[in-house]
Tab-separated table of all heavy atoms in Angstrom:
chain	number	residue	atom	x	y	z
A	503	HIS	N	127.323	156.721	78.146
A	503	HIS	CA	126.672	156.332	79.400
A	503	HIS	C	127.704	156.027	80.483
A	503	HIS	O	127.452	156.242	81.676
A	503	HIS	CB	125.737	155.138	79.193
A	503	HIS	CG	126.414	153.826	78.950
A	503	HIS	ND1	127.038	153.510	77.761
A	503	HIS	CD2	126.570	152.747	79.759
A	503	HIS	CE1	127.536	152.289	77.837
A	503	HIS	NE2	127.278	151.807	79.038
A	504	VAL	N	128.909	155.571	80.105
A	504	VAL	CA	129.980	155.355	81.083
A	504	VAL	C	130.519	156.702	81.564
A	504	VAL	O	130.795	156.887	82.748
A	504	VAL	CB	131.109	154.505	80.478
A	504	VAL	CG1	132.248	154.332	81.475
A	504	VAL	CG2	130.573	153.142	80.039
A	505	ASP	N	130.655	157.655	80.628
A	505	ASP	CA	131.077	159.014	80.979
A	505	ASP	C	130.117	159.610	82.001
A	505	ASP	O	130.534	160.173	83.027
A	505	ASP	CB	131.125	159.864	79.707
A	505	ASP	CG	131.620	161.274	79.944
A	505	ASP	OD1	130.863	162.068	80.534
A	505	ASP	OD2	132.756	161.606	79.550
A	506	ARG	N	128.811	159.457	81.749
A	506	ARG	CA	127.806	159.996	82.670
A	506	ARG	C	127.862	159.300	84.028
A	506	ARG	O	127.693	159.941	85.074
A	506	ARG	CB	126.399	159.859	82.063
A	506	ARG	CG	126.136	160.784	80.887
A	506	ARG	CD	124.649	160.821	80.561
A	506	ARG	NE	124.167	159.503	80.131
A	506	ARG	CZ	124.170	159.088	78.876
A	506	ARG	NH1	124.624	159.874	77.906
A	506	ARG	NH2	123.708	157.886	78.560
A	507	PHE	N	128.104	157.987	84.017
A	507	PHE	CA	128.200	157.218	85.261
A	507	PHE	C	129.299	157.779	86.162
A	507	PHE	O	129.068	158.039	87.350
A	507	PHE	CB	128.478	155.747	84.927
A	507	PHE	CG	128.845	154.898	86.121
A	507	PHE	CD1	127.866	154.358	86.937
A	507	PHE	CD2	130.181	154.647	86.429
A	507	PHE	CE1	128.209	153.575	88.043
A	507	PHE	CE2	130.536	153.871	87.528
A	507	PHE	CZ	129.547	153.334	88.337
A	508	PHE	N	130.481	157.989	85.602
A	508	PHE	CA	131.602	158.476	86.404
A	508	PHE	C	131.405	159.926	86.830
A	508	PHE	O	131.713	160.286	87.970
A	508	PHE	CB	132.915	158.319	85.626
A	508	PHE	CG	133.514	156.956	85.746
A	508	PHE	CD1	133.369	156.027	84.735
A	508	PHE	CD2	134.206	156.590	86.889
A	508	PHE	CE1	133.922	154.757	84.848
A	508	PHE	CE2	134.758	155.328	87.023
A	508	PHE	CZ	134.607	154.405	85.997
A	509	ARG	N	130.900	160.757	85.936
A	509	ARG	CA	130.677	162.163	86.310
A	509	ARG	C	129.682	162.278	87.453
A	509	ARG	O	129.904	163.024	88.426
A	509	ARG	CB	130.175	162.955	85.098
A	509	ARG	CG	131.236	163.216	84.030
A	509	ARG	CD	130.626	163.946	82.843
A	509	ARG	NE	131.568	164.076	81.748
A	509	ARG	CZ	132.394	165.112	81.598
A	509	ARG	NH1	132.390	166.098	82.472
A	509	ARG	NH2	133.216	165.162	80.565
A	510	GLY	N	128.587	161.547	87.351
A	510	GLY	CA	127.567	161.611	88.392
A	510	GLY	C	128.071	161.077	89.717
A	510	GLY	O	127.844	161.680	90.782
A	511	LEU	N	128.786	159.954	89.666
A	511	LEU	CA	129.304	159.339	90.885
A	511	LEU	C	130.307	160.261	91.579
A	511	LEU	O	130.220	160.506	92.792
A	511	LEU	CB	129.964	157.998	90.544
A	511	LEU	CG	130.600	157.246	91.707
A	511	LEU	CD1	129.532	156.806	92.704
A	511	LEU	CD2	131.387	156.039	91.206
A	512	VAL	N	131.263	160.781	90.834
A	512	VAL	CA	132.303	161.619	91.422
A	512	VAL	C	131.713	162.931	91.950
A	512	VAL	O	132.096	163.408	93.021
A	512	VAL	CB	133.427	161.903	90.406
A	512	VAL	CG1	134.415	162.927	90.943
A	512	VAL	CG2	134.161	160.602	90.066
A	513	ALA	N	130.780	163.511	91.214
A	513	ALA	CA	130.154	164.761	91.665
A	513	ALA	C	129.463	164.566	93.019
A	513	ALA	O	129.618	165.383	93.938
A	513	ALA	CB	129.160	165.256	90.626
A	514	ASP	N	128.720	163.462	93.165
A	514	ASP	CA	128.016	163.194	94.421
A	514	ASP	C	129.004	162.933	95.560
A	514	ASP	O	128.842	163.460	96.676
A	514	ASP	CB	127.095	161.983	94.254
A	514	ASP	CG	125.901	162.273	93.353
A	514	ASP	OD1	125.630	163.468	93.105
A	514	ASP	OD2	125.263	161.311	92.885
A	515	LEU	N	130.023	162.126	95.273
A	515	LEU	CA	130.979	161.774	96.322
A	515	LEU	C	131.828	162.968	96.747
A	515	LEU	O	132.095	163.156	97.943
A	515	LEU	CB	131.878	160.630	95.841
A	515	LEU	CG	131.194	159.274	95.652
A	515	LEU	CD1	132.161	158.266	95.029
A	515	LEU	CD2	130.669	158.745	96.984
A	516	MET	N	132.234	163.792	95.799
A	516	MET	CA	133.034	164.968	96.143
A	516	MET	C	132.213	165.974	96.945
A	516	MET	O	132.743	166.629	97.855
A	516	MET	CB	133.597	165.621	94.884
A	516	MET	CG	134.745	164.868	94.250
A	516	MET	SD	136.192	164.719	95.333
A	516	MET	CE	136.823	166.405	95.308
A	517	GLN	N	130.948	166.091	96.643
A	517	GLN	CA	130.086	166.974	97.410
A	517	GLN	C	130.010	166.509	98.866
A	517	GLN	O	130.092	167.315	99.805
A	517	GLN	CB	128.679	167.007	96.799
A	517	GLN	CG	127.670	167.865	97.546
A	517	GLN	CD	128.046	169.350	97.551
A	517	GLN	OE1	128.770	169.812	96.667
A	517	GLN	NE2	127.545	170.088	98.530
A	518	GLN	N	129.904	165.171	99.056
A	518	GLN	CA	129.881	164.628	100.414
A	518	GLN	C	131.208	164.886	101.127
A	518	GLN	O	131.227	165.286	102.298
A	518	GLN	CB	129.621	163.118	100.356
A	518	GLN	CG	128.237	162.739	99.863
A	518	GLN	CD	128.088	161.228	99.704
A	518	GLN	OE1	128.872	160.450	100.252
A	518	GLN	NE2	127.084	160.815	98.936
A	519	ARG	N	132.324	164.651	100.422
A	519	ARG	CA	133.636	164.796	101.064
A	519	ARG	C	133.912	166.249	101.449
A	519	ARG	O	134.581	166.519	102.440
A	519	ARG	CB	134.751	164.313	100.128
A	519	ARG	CG	134.570	162.902	99.615
A	519	ARG	CD	134.546	161.877	100.763
A	519	ARG	NE	134.115	160.585	100.278
A	519	ARG	CZ	134.916	159.710	99.693
A	519	ARG	NH1	136.186	160.007	99.533
A	519	ARG	NH2	134.448	158.560	99.285
A	520	ARG	N	133.424	167.174	100.625
A	520	ARG	CA	133.691	168.584	100.895
A	520	ARG	C	132.849	169.127	102.048
A	520	ARG	O	133.229	170.098	102.701
A	520	ARG	CB	133.415	169.409	99.640
A	520	ARG	CG	134.467	169.245	98.533
A	520	ARG	CD	133.954	169.749	97.204
A	520	ARG	NE	134.983	169.719	96.158
A	520	ARG	CZ	134.727	169.804	94.849
A	520	ARG	NH1	133.468	169.915	94.433
A	520	ARG	NH2	135.715	169.767	93.977
A	521	THR	N	131.700	168.505	102.282
A	521	THR	CA	130.778	169.049	103.289
A	521	THR	C	130.778	168.244	104.584
A	521	THR	O	130.502	168.780	105.656
A	521	THR	CB	129.340	169.095	102.738
A	521	THR	OG1	128.955	167.781	102.299
A	521	THR	CG2	129.263	170.065	101.564
A	522	GLU	N	131.091	166.927	104.499
A	522	GLU	CA	131.089	166.094	105.704
A	522	GLU	C	132.485	166.057	106.324
A	522	GLU	O	133.485	166.010	105.625
A	522	GLU	CB	130.653	164.661	105.363
A	522	GLU	CG	129.224	164.573	104.838
A	522	GLU	CD	128.872	163.150	104.455
A	522	GLU	OE1	129.700	162.242	104.707
A	522	GLU	OE2	127.785	162.941	103.897
A	523	ASN	N	132.528	166.062	107.621
A	523	ASN	CA	133.814	165.985	108.328
A	523	ASN	C	134.148	164.518	108.622
A	523	ASN	O	134.283	164.091	109.761
A	523	ASN	CB	133.736	166.795	109.624
A	523	ASN	CG	135.104	166.933	110.260
A	523	ASN	OD1	136.132	166.875	109.582
A	523	ASN	ND2	135.119	167.110	111.581
A	524	VAL	N	134.277	163.741	107.529
A	524	VAL	CA	134.562	162.306	107.640
A	524	VAL	C	135.819	161.998	106.839
A	524	VAL	O	135.938	162.381	105.675
A	524	VAL	CB	133.390	161.452	107.112
A	524	VAL	CG1	133.741	159.968	107.207
A	524	VAL	CG2	132.125	161.753	107.893
A	525	ILE	N	136.776	161.334	107.450
A	525	ILE	CA	138.021	160.960	106.779
A	525	ILE	C	137.877	159.550	106.222
A	525	ILE	O	137.540	158.612	106.946
A	525	ILE	CB	139.220	161.013	107.752
A	525	ILE	CG1	139.335	162.402	108.376
A	525	ILE	CG2	140.508	160.634	107.014
A	525	ILE	CD1	139.553	163.509	107.370
A	526	ARG	N	138.146	159.401	104.931
A	526	ARG	CA	138.036	158.091	104.284
A	526	ARG	C	139.395	157.687	103.700
A	526	ARG	O	140.205	158.543	103.361
A	526	ARG	CB	136.973	158.118	103.177
A	526	ARG	CG	135.584	158.468	103.694
A	526	ARG	CD	134.565	158.519	102.567
A	526	ARG	NE	133.267	158.950	103.035
A	526	ARG	CZ	132.319	158.145	103.501
A	526	ARG	NH1	132.544	156.844	103.566
A	526	ARG	NH2	131.164	158.617	103.901
A	527	ASN	N	139.607	156.389	103.565
A	527	ASN	CA	140.868	155.869	103.059
A	527	ASN	C	140.785	155.600	101.554
A	527	ASN	O	140.883	154.467	101.102
A	527	ASN	CB	141.249	154.568	103.798
A	527	ASN	CG	141.433	154.776	105.271
A	527	ASN	OD1	141.974	155.793	105.697
A	527	ASN	ND2	140.978	153.827	106.074
A	528	ASP	N	140.584	156.658	100.774
A	528	ASP	CA	140.459	156.442	99.339
A	528	ASP	C	141.041	157.612	98.545
A	528	ASP	O	141.446	158.639	99.092
A	528	ASP	CB	138.994	156.187	98.939
A	528	ASP	CG	138.055	157.319	99.320
A	528	ASP	OD1	138.470	158.486	99.247
A	528	ASP	OD2	136.895	157.047	99.680
A	529	PHE	N	141.075	157.430	97.241
A	529	PHE	CA	141.696	158.391	96.328
A	529	PHE	C	140.964	159.735	96.325
A	529	PHE	O	141.610	160.794	96.297
A	529	PHE	CB	141.690	157.785	94.914
A	529	PHE	CG	142.276	158.672	93.858
A	529	PHE	CD1	143.652	158.785	93.691
A	529	PHE	CD2	141.459	159.408	93.004
A	529	PHE	CE1	144.202	159.601	92.710
A	529	PHE	CE2	141.995	160.216	92.018
A	529	PHE	CZ	143.370	160.314	91.865
A	530	LEU	N	139.645	159.719	96.376
A	530	LEU	CA	138.895	160.977	96.353
A	530	LEU	C	139.170	161.806	97.605
A	530	LEU	O	139.175	163.038	97.547
A	530	LEU	CB	137.396	160.706	96.206
A	530	LEU	CG	136.921	160.197	94.837
A	530	LEU	CD1	135.406	160.069	94.811
A	530	LEU	CD2	137.385	161.120	93.713
A	531	GLN	N	139.414	161.136	98.733
A	531	GLN	CA	139.759	161.868	99.940
A	531	GLN	C	141.084	162.604	99.758
A	531	GLN	O	141.264	163.730	100.224
A	531	GLN	CB	139.868	160.902	101.124
A	531	GLN	CG	140.085	161.580	102.462
A	531	GLN	CD	138.870	162.403	102.897
A	531	GLN	OE1	137.736	161.952	102.733
A	531	GLN	NE2	139.102	163.592	103.437
A	532	LEU	N	142.011	161.966	99.028
A	532	LEU	CA	143.296	162.609	98.742
A	532	LEU	C	143.107	163.820	97.837
A	532	LEU	O	143.835	164.810	97.949
A	532	LEU	CB	144.249	161.607	98.091
A	532	LEU	CG	144.609	160.381	98.945
A	532	LEU	CD1	145.554	159.461	98.176
A	532	LEU	CD2	145.233	160.784	100.267
A	533	MET	N	142.141	163.773	96.947
A	533	MET	CA	141.845	164.926	96.091
A	533	MET	C	141.303	166.093	96.933
A	533	MET	O	141.626	167.254	96.675
A	533	MET	CB	140.824	164.545	95.012
A	533	MET	CG	141.344	163.583	93.951
A	533	MET	SD	142.707	164.270	92.944
A	533	MET	CE	144.126	163.452	93.713
A	534	VAL	N	140.488	165.778	97.933
A	534	VAL	CA	139.976	166.817	98.827
A	534	VAL	C	141.133	167.446	99.606
A	534	VAL	O	141.196	168.673	99.776
A	534	VAL	CB	138.926	166.228	99.795
A	534	VAL	CG1	138.523	167.268	100.842
A	534	VAL	CG2	137.696	165.763	99.025
A	535	GLU	N	142.067	166.620	100.067
A	535	GLU	CA	143.245	167.144	100.778
A	535	GLU	C	144.072	168.054	99.864
A	535	GLU	O	144.562	169.106	100.303
A	535	GLU	CB	144.112	165.981	101.259
A	535	GLU	CG	143.503	165.165	102.386
A	535	GLU	CD	144.406	164.010	102.792
A	535	GLU	OE1	145.598	164.039	102.442
A	535	GLU	OE2	143.908	163.082	103.455
A	536	LEU	N	144.211	167.653	98.604
A	536	LEU	CA	144.963	168.473	97.655
A	536	LEU	C	144.287	169.816	97.425
A	536	LEU	O	144.953	170.850	97.294
A	536	LEU	CB	145.113	167.728	96.319
A	536	LEU	CG	146.380	166.888	96.148
A	536	LEU	CD1	146.304	166.086	94.862
A	536	LEU	CD2	147.614	167.778	96.122
A	537	GLU	N	142.957	169.808	97.365
A	537	GLU	CA	142.217	171.072	97.207
A	537	GLU	C	142.550	172.022	98.357
A	537	GLU	O	142.779	173.214	98.129
A	537	GLU	CB	140.709	170.801	97.185
A	537	GLU	CG	140.183	170.224	95.883
A	537	GLU	CD	138.671	170.108	95.888
A	537	GLU	OE1	138.089	169.920	96.976
A	537	GLU	OE2	138.064	170.215	94.809
């Protein structure tokens, strides 16, 4: 259930970061930049 929690959370947040033109001060934003 912890595995599912993180997978679901990251999938939703990465989808937002990839489609929205919003810069955030967090680690996932750095992953989008790396992509």
Side-chain angles (χ1 to χ4, degrees):
H503 72 287
V504 178
D505 183 288
R506 289 193 296 271
F507 169 83
F508 276 101
R509 288 177 186 270
L511 178 66
V512 172
D514 290 344
L515 292 174
M516 286 298 288
Q517 178 64 24
Q518 293 175 18
R519 305 299 169 83
R520 287 164 175 163
T521 56
E522 297 177 6
N523 190 26
V524 178
I525 303 300
R526 300 179 184 271
N527 299 321
D528 58 36
F529 179 80
L530 289 184
Q531 186 67 42
L532 298 180
M533 291 296 102
V534 173
E535 290 179 17
L536 267 173
E537 284 185 330

